[in-house]
Amino acid sequence: MSLDQLVGQLSKDWEWVSFITQYCAGSNIGKPVCEDFRWWAIGIAALALAIVVWWIFGQLSKAYARWHYRRVLAKVADAETMNKHRWSGPDLPDALKSPDQRATKSPK
């Protein structure tokens, strides 16, 4: 099959599809010849709806993830939580001691 024959056949197929679409889009949708067209239209509509729903759920899941992340960070930075983990006493590392305590410490 040459390229000319392929283009000619695709052109004929396109003309047939456009004729059936115009014929079935009107009040003839209940005719037996339009049954395949009806199922194709339902399938395309269902696919488009599935893509839109997928996109909406994706956006909602991103928003939920951002909200959850901010909520977790807020729990970490809570004053009560920070007081639980505050270091004090002899186990306080040198990096966290007051500047006066570091200044009086003799260099090694």
Side-chain angles (χ1 to χ4, degrees), residues 18-65:
S18 68
F19 167 74
I20 290 292
T21 303
Q22 291 173 1
Y23 178 76
C24 295
S27 60
N28 299 321
I29 194 70
K31 304 275 181 171
V33 74
C34 295
E35 187 173 331
D36 287 339
F37 173 75
R38 185 175 45 229
W39 284 111
W40 274 100
I42 290 171
I44 290 170
L47 181 63
L49 180 66
I51 290 171
V52 168
V53 168
W54 183 285
W55 180 80
I56 288 172
F57 278 125
Q59 295 298 314
L60 287 174
S61 69
K62 286 179 190 176
Y64 174 76

Side-chain angles (χ1 to χ4, degrees), residues 2 5 8-9 14-15 18 35-37 40 42 47 63 65 76 80 82 94-95 97 99-100 103 105:
S2 70
Q5 291 174 339
Q9 185 62 39
W14 181 253
E15 288 176 17
S18 68
E35 187 173 331
D36 287 339
F37 173 75
W40 274 100
I42 290 171
L47 181 63
V76 169
E80 182 181 335
M82 294 303 288
D94 291 337
K97 290 184 180 178
D100 294 333
K105 186 175 179 182

Side-chain angles (χ1 to χ4, degrees), residues 1-12:
M1 181 179 251
S2 70
L3 184 62
D4 293 338
Q5 291 174 339
L6 179 65
V7 170
Q9 185 62 39
L10 288 175
S11 174
K12 287 180 186 177

